[in-house]
């Protein structure tokens, strides 16, 4: 899938370690066998992994995170590594509902337990390549690539949120590293300490910033995500967040009708999710963003038609 959106190429971070999954998956056959493989098939996967490491260069062979890709077992869909796992899961669930249900809005299908197959060869051309910068340390090429994509996505959200790139430029390298460490190591306190200085949702933060827009990404079916400025309130005038109680909040329906008007034409049916929840269409986006945004500070709305 391509990754053009309304601001820049989509570069979502993929947080989480996953090293334990790698260790277990190294014993699985890459050619499509499930977890009940025998020892001989497990050795075949080790051989595939070794071959892939040579193909991707000596540096990759030294990495504790081998270049690999993941596939949804039920649908055979390659999983886009630059998207958050919950966003991918929502899209897969809704696509299954769409293909199997006549009354989509009343279907409560779940995709659990989620069966995922790991591959170490034949990297799909439709996925973004795992290509970190040349100056990345040789023992963490894949993790460095994820870090770079996460930072790019965070910078996009900060620009949309504050209508300026000054906030991201003023962040120190140490802040970047602390933020990433908080995500990878699941240290929420470290993460929260950094982002609390960036949001400006109280009408002004320690950096002297005021929130201008809601960082919002919308994914429709299998198309790339797109971004547009989304105002906090519908009516004109002072957009200070301090005036929350007196304003007409921008809702999910306001955005979908504005950005995707064809969804409301005729008898069209569609599903939408925010963090796995089909929220009410009149739910204020600002409230959703405050509680359900992802670590890159974007609120993701997934839609399947």
């Amino acid at each position: 899938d391509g990754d053009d959106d309304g601001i820049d190429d989509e570069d979502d971070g993929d947080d989480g370690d996953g090293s334990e999954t790698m260790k277990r998956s190294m014993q699985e056959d890459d050619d499509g066998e499930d977890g009940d493989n025998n020892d001989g098939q497990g050795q075949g996967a080790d051989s595939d992994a070794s071959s892939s490491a040579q193909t991707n260069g000596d540096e990759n062979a030294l990495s504790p995170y081998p270049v690999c890709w993941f596939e949804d077992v039920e649908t055979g869909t390659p999983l886009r590594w630059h998207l958050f796992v919950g966003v991918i899961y929502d899209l897969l669930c809704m696509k299954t509902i769409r293909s199997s249900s006549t009354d989509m809005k009343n279907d409560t299908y779940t995709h659990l337990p989620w069966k995922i197959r790991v591959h170490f060869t034949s990297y799909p051309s439709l996925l973004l390549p795992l290509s970190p910068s040349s100056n990345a340390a040789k023992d963490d090429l894949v993790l460095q690539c994820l870090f770079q994509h996460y930072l790019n996505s965070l910078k996009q959200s900060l620009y949309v949120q504050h209508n300026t790139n000054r906030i991201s430029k003023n962040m120190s390298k140490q802040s970047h590293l602390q933020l990433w460490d908080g995500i990878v190591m699941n240290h929420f306190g470290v993460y929260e300490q950094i982002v609390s200085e960036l949001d400006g949702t109280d009408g002004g933060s320690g950096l002297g910033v005021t929130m201008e827009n809601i960082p919002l990404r919308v994914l429709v079916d299998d198309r790339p995500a797109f971004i547009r400025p989304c105002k906090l309130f519908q009516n004109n005038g002072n957009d200070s967040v301090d005036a929350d109680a007196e304003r007409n909040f921008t809702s999910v329906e306001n955005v979908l009708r504005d950005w995707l008007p064809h969804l409301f034409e005729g008898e069209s049916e569609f599903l939408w999710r925010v963090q796995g929840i089909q929220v009410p269409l009149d739910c204020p986006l600002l409230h959703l963003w405050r509680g359900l945004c992802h670590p890159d500070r974007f609120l993701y709305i997934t839609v399947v038609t």
Side-chain angles (χ1 to χ4, degrees):
D1 293 338
D3 288 285
D4 297 330
D5 51 38
I7 300 297
D8 199 351
D9 288 344
E10 180 182 344
D11 288 317
D12 292 314
D14 189 359
D15 57 316
D17 192 326
S19 58
E20 290 299 321
T21 303
M22 291 299 144
K23 293 176 183 177
R24 293 194 299 269
S25 300
M26 288 291 287
Q27 299 176 3
E28 296 184 4
D29 189 339
D30 180 61
D31 291 331
E33 296 297 326
D34 292 324
D36 56 353
N37 296 335
N38 57 32
D39 293 339
Q41 291 171 322
Q43 292 172 0
D46 290 339
S47 175
D48 286 345
S50 176
S51 174
S52 177
Q54 294 176 2
T55 301
N56 289 281
D58 293 338
E59 293 86 355
N60 188 50
L62 299 175
S63 173
Y65 305 97
V67 173
C68 61
W69 58 281
F70 300 98
E71 174 192 16
D72 176 59
V73 171
E74 185 170 331
T75 65
T77 304
L79 305 182
R80 290 178 279 177
W81 61 264
H82 60 285
L83 293 178
F84 289 99
V85 65
V87 174
I88 300 174
Y89 177 78
D90 285 349
L91 285 171
L92 285 173
C93 280
M94 290 190 292
K95 285 170 63 177
T96 303
I97 294 173
R98 176 189 63 185
S99 62
S100 62
S101 175
T102 56
D103 188 3
M104 299 201 317
K105 295 184 179 180
N106 291 330
D107 200 315
T108 57
Y109 173 83
T110 58
H111 211 63
L112 298 174
W114 189 5
K115 297 180 180 180
I116 296 175
R117 182 178 293 119
V118 61
H119 296 267
F120 297 95
T121 58
S122 305
Y123 193 89
S125 60
L126 58 84
L127 296 181
L128 284 181
L130 281 164
S131 53
S133 61
S134 58
N135 60 354
K138 290 186 178 181
D139 62 344
D140 62 357
L141 292 176
V142 172
L143 201 61
Q144 180 67 18
C145 186
L146 303 182
F147 176 50
Q148 292 171 358
H149 276 274
Y150 169 74
L151 280 186
N152 288 340
S153 187
L154 177 66
K155 290 175 182 178
Q156 288 182 16
S157 70
L158 290 175
Y159 180 84
V160 172
Q161 183 177 347
H162 303 295
N163 204 26
T164 177
N165 61 4
R166 178 171 61 89
I167 308 305
S168 60
K169 284 187 175 181
N170 287 346
M171 288 185 67
S172 65
K173 182 177 180 180
Q174 184 64 24
S175 294
H176 290 160
L177 294 176
Q178 287 180 343
L179 195 60
W180 181 243
D181 182 68
I183 293 172
V184 173
M185 303 304 295
N186 199 27
H187 293 161
F188 181 74
V190 175
Y191 169 82
E192 181 67 14
Q193 181 180 357
I194 303 297
V195 299
S196 63
E197 300 176 358
L198 304 175
D199 288 345
T201 53
D202 57 354
S205 72
L207 296 175
V209 295
T210 301
M211 187 170 180
E212 298 285 342
N213 301 292
I214 300 170
L216 177 64
R217 269 197 173 121
V218 177
L219 293 94
V220 182
D221 296 327
D222 296 319
R223 284 172 274 177
F226 62 92
I227 311 168
R228 293 178 187 171
C230 177
K231 289 296 184 182
L232 281 62
F233 308 99
Q234 283 293 290
N235 52 325
N236 297 323
N238 177 26
D239 283 344
S240 171
V241 184
D242 294 333
D244 278 2
E246 304 174 3
R247 310 309 302 273
N248 182 18
F249 288 105
T250 299
S251 68
V252 175
E253 183 174 3
N254 293 144
V255 168
L256 294 182
R257 284 188 178 276
D258 185 30
W259 297 10
L260 303 166
H262 64 279
L263 296 179
F264 298 89
E265 296 175 356
E267 298 181 357
S268 300
E269 281 191 328
F270 65 95
L271 294 169
W272 67 96
R273 295 282 189 274
V274 177
Q275 291 273 28
I277 306 167
Q278 185 154 309
V279 298
L281 285 174
D282 60 355
C283 191
L285 281 175
L286 179 59
H287 294 171
L288 290 174
W289 177 80
R290 283 173 168 168
L292 298 176
C293 70
H294 278 73
D296 60 356
R297 313 308 292 159
F298 273 108
L299 177 70
Y300 286 78
I301 298 179
T302 54
V303 177
V304 169
T305 60

